Amino acid sequence: MAIRHIALFRWNGEATPEKVDQVRDALSLLPGRIPALRAYTFGPDLGISEGTYDFGVAADVDDEAGLAAYRDHPDHQAALALIRPLLADRASVQIALPDPD
């Protein structure tokens, strides 16, 4: 069963544009370094609706083993080390992707 992991971040007052750029730079490396990633998208909220989070990440993997490989990969952990000090709030969900026909 393919899985989509979605993480949403709400930044705190420490999240300067420069620090968010560092997060984006770190996340941009992951698709080339984590073979388990089948699709990877991230970026700031577009500001279309109220009550949203500031930034989101969507990672598609083949299965639970792929999710664990992504979660535990050293480069992902390095990105999280940049993200955690900037967080006011975080939410995540893992959902099943439909089987391709």
Side-chain angles (χ1 to χ4, degrees):
M1 167 186 61
I3 297 169
R4 177 167 291 151
H5 165 72
I6 301 169
L8 304 173
F9 309 137
R10 190 167 285 133
W11 301 130
N12 63 27
E14 300 296 316
T16 64
E18 294 78 20
K19 288 181 181 178
V20 174
D21 283 346
Q22 290 177 341
V23 167
R24 290 167 58 164
D25 290 346
L27 294 175
S28 72
L29 299 175
L30 300 185
R33 295 186 178 177
I34 304 176
L37 288 173
R38 299 295 170 236
Y40 197 69
T41 305
F42 61 89
D45 180 68
L46 297 176
I48 296 168
S49 300
E50 292 191 28
T52 62
Y53 281 72
D54 298 315
F55 196 93
V57 175
D60 292 359
V61 295
D62 287 337
D63 51 28
E64 288 184 46
L67 182 61
Y70 165 66
R71 180 192 65 215
D72 299 338
H73 193 280
D75 289 320
H76 181 244
Q77 290 299 312
L80 290 177
L82 296 172
I83 292 167
R84 286 186 184 112
L86 308 180
L87 289 178
D89 192 20
R90 178 187 177 276
S92 69
V93 64
Q94 292 82 43
I95 58 175
L97 292 173
D99 288 328
D101 292 334

